[in-house]
Amino acid sequence: MSFKTEINRRRTFGIISHPDAGKTTLTEKLLLFGGAIQEAGAVKSNKIKKGATSDFMEIERQRGISVATSVLAFEYNGIKINILDTPGHKDFAEDTFRTLTAVDSVIVVIDVAKGVEEQTEKLVEVCRMRNIPMIVFINKMDREGKDAFDLLDEIEQKLGLKVVPLSFPIGMGYDFKGIYNIWEKNVNLFSGDSRKDIEETIEINDLSSSELDQLIGDKASQTLREEIELVDGIYPKFDKDDYLNGQLQPVFFGSALNNFGVRELLDCFVEIAPKPRPKHSEERLVQPDEDKFTGFVFKIHANMDPNHRNRLAFIKIVSGEFKRNTPYLHVRHNKKLKFSSPNAFFAEKKEIVDISYPGDIVGLQDTGNFKIGDTLTEGEVLNYKGVPSFSPEHFRYINNADPLKSKQLNKGIDQLMDEGVAQLFTLELNGRKVIGTVGALQYEVIQYRLEHEYGAKCTYENLNVHKACWIETDNVKSEEFKEFLRVKQRYLAKDKRGQLVFLADSAFSLQMTQQKYPNIIFHFTSEFA
């Protein structure tokens, strides 16, 4: 196949939602339809002993939540699909924001009973800022929940989206009969028998035909006719260009657990979702069909295999072909590296690939060369933007609980921070290490992984910090800056890159400091050039 054809058959997307809306389950079912797995596992069920394919870290299996973003690839109808399954839990939001820099479109999963939840709002806001095309999947239709029209209104109001239903439920919960597929004009009946892998659909081109009454009963068919008439009246017609520009969002209904409505979603997705899109670097806009390879690191994962201390850097390919054993320029270090075993993924299963195309995600073995946001090219100096660090919300001292293992502890902390699990600050005054995270659950994950992957034990001590601010000044030699360094010595630290950080202990003291030193700039994210 030609280079252009390969690009055109790639679809790379992320799945986002609030925890428990069924994101990981939907990922599993998409793989099932893609023929990539034979039997789907549930995330939280003691009856099924098989865990979900995308949750491969031990702590995820114990807790029944997804902690790391995992990458899965499969083929469906001649289209190569790359899914990035993101953690829904808000304590891991930063990982999700970074992943959104690597996708071309997004599927938003919403729970029919709970409607739009807080985490969904935050993530959708990030997608809207970047005009990422979104498809909405309303999940768990086999349970009692909100009325379909109320839900659509809620999505429009709370998320600020303009929706178009492309499928519509026939009843819900106990009365759930199936889905009418507006996109393909057919009816998909629900038997409630989840053992049936993939169900048959019945084509109905004319909703007024008596065939519908025989299938679902007079009352349900009458309701469906009225509802579809309403849908036609209220909502705009689907327009692919509006969807691709992020101005219109198609909506599907279904139940991922029962394989229901998932095929409709996938068929439509393959047809309308964007192929790899151009991406802005600080220097210029890069098109996917350029000859020269470029790509960037959006995630680093240490210890994919606990028996070998290995780190993988996940690279999203933006343009050109990435070939095995070819030297590429690591822009930040300004040195050439070549990779003998680049991996393509299927959760924890990896295979070595000789050539990858724009839209693909490749894992490179890393000995500590990469940081999140690094760019690789064939020689051109490019820097891809959009992978910031935010000020953490929680701060704790980290102490070594086993003096004989200090080397392991330091190595473990270093590698986990490179992964972007949390941020490390070293106090200027006494060199103590402080870990800052977005959510409190991360401390548990760090402690667990230090012990199980590095054999090091740590304890934490609370530290009263309100915000971490990155410091910028025009004149390092000014009296004002020297005084700031002297007076605030107790509150100063360096981050992992050696940038100076001010750890303010309260909102009030931050405000007073800003007033007292007007020529010093306090930043709340680390991304200022």
Side-chain angles (χ1 to χ4, degrees), residues 420-473:
V421 174
Q423 293 178 58
L424 180 68
F425 303 103
T426 310
L427 291 181
E428 291 279 78
L429 193 63
N430 53 14
R432 284 193 75 179
K433 290 185 159 64
V434 173
I435 285 188
T437 67
V438 179
L441 190 61
Q442 251 138 313
Y443 290 109
E444 252 180 84
V445 173
I446 292 169
Q447 204 164 20
Y448 183 92
R449 291 186 60 188
L450 281 172
E451 189 173 336
H452 290 82
E453 294 174 15
Y454 299 92
K457 288 193 167 71
C458 72
T459 56
Y460 296 115
E461 238 178 280
N462 278 334
L463 173 65
N464 181 23
V465 174
H466 161 66
K467 271 262 187 292
C469 308
W470 282 266
I471 298 298
E472 187 185 11
T473 174

Side-chain angles (χ1 to χ4, degrees), residues 152-437:
L152 292 168
D153 285 349
E154 189 179 321
I155 293 170
E156 295 215 304
Q157 281 155 14
K158 278 197 177 168
L159 301 178
L161 303 180
K162 191 169 154 196
V163 300
V164 178
L166 291 187
S167 77
F168 210 80
I170 306 171
M172 122 171 5
Y174 183 70
D175 301 324
F176 182 55
K177 300 267 199 307
I179 303 266
Y180 176 66
N181 186 343
I182 303 173
W183 174 250
E184 292 172 4
K185 294 216 179 350
N186 57 28
V187 169
N188 192 336
L189 294 182
F190 180 61
S191 61
D193 173 11
S194 60
R195 284 187 301 279
K196 280 174 54 179
D197 273 322
I198 292 168
E199 63 300 310
E200 293 302 305
T201 52
I202 297 156
E203 201 135 325
I204 293 193
N205 292 322
D206 181 12
L207 274 183
S208 56
S209 76
S210 56
E211 196 185 345
L212 187 66
D213 302 325
Q214 290 155 15
L215 284 172
I216 60 173
D218 297 350
K219 188 175 163 227
S221 56
Q222 194 46 43
T223 314
L224 178 68
R225 288 182 186 119
E226 287 163 10
E227 289 182 330
I228 296 297
E229 202 171 312
L230 255 177
V231 168
D232 285 345
I234 304 175
Y235 296 103
K237 287 275 170 278
F238 175 72
D239 179 304
K240 188 170 169 180
D241 291 338
D242 285 353
Y243 155 71
L244 290 175
N245 296 329
Q247 288 157 357
L248 190 73
Q249 286 76 27
V251 179
F252 286 87
F253 291 85
S255 156
L257 193 62
N258 295 306
N259 293 335
F260 211 80
V262 178
R263 198 187 55 85
E264 286 80 346
L265 172 73
L266 190 57
D267 284 345
C268 176
F269 173 83
V270 162
E271 206 169 317
I272 66 174
K275 26 186 211 292
R277 301 163 72 190
K279 188 168 172 66
H280 283 281
S281 68
E282 282 169 22
E283 292 73 16
R284 63 188 186 84
L285 181 68
V286 179
Q287 298 292 342
D289 54 6
E290 294 178 14
D291 301 341
K292 295 267 199 296
F293 158 76
T294 67
F296 65 97
V297 179
F298 67 93
K299 173 184 167 58
I300 289 174
H301 196 105
N303 302 331
M304 296 280 284
D305 174 356
N307 305 328
H308 304 279
R309 294 262 169 267
N310 60 350
R311 284 172 36 149
L312 272 183
F314 289 72
I315 302 249
K316 158 82 189 267
I317 297 174
V318 181
S319 68
E321 297 174 340
F322 178 86
K323 298 191 177 85
R324 187 176 152 190
N325 284 328
T326 307
Y328 291 116
L329 176 70
H330 182 318
V331 175
R332 186 170 55 88
H333 284 327
N334 192 19
K335 67 175 186 190
K336 294 253 172 150
L337 302 171
K338 67 181 189 189
F339 306 94
S340 56
S341 52
N343 289 305
F345 297 93
F346 176 74
E348 77 258 55
K349 298 202 221 12
K350 313 192 289 272
E351 38 193 73
I352 290 176
V353 283
D354 288 322
I355 184 163
S356 304
Y357 298 93
D360 285 342
I361 308 290
V362 179
L364 303 178
Q365 296 293 339
D366 177 27
T367 50
N369 287 316
F370 288 115
K371 288 190 176 158
I372 286 173
D374 278 349
T375 306
L376 275 179
T377 69
E378 276 191 37
E380 185 180 356
V381 175
L382 281 179
N383 290 285
Y384 284 112
K385 310 197 282 231
V387 187
S389 295
F390 302 94
S391 169
E393 316 257 313
H394 304 262
F395 297 84
R396 292 183 193 172
Y397 285 121
I398 180 165
N399 298 323
N400 186 359
D402 179 353
L404 296 174
K405 294 282 177 75
S406 58
K407 196 169 149 216
Q408 285 89 327
L409 181 73
N410 288 335
K411 182 180 173 191
I413 293 174
D414 258 10
Q415 294 205 344
L416 291 178
M417 299 305 130
D418 273 349
E419 248 185 75
V421 174
Q423 293 178 58
L424 180 68
F425 303 103
T426 310
L427 291 181
E428 291 279 78
L429 193 63
N430 53 14
R432 284 193 75 179
K433 290 185 159 64
V434 173
I435 285 188
T437 67

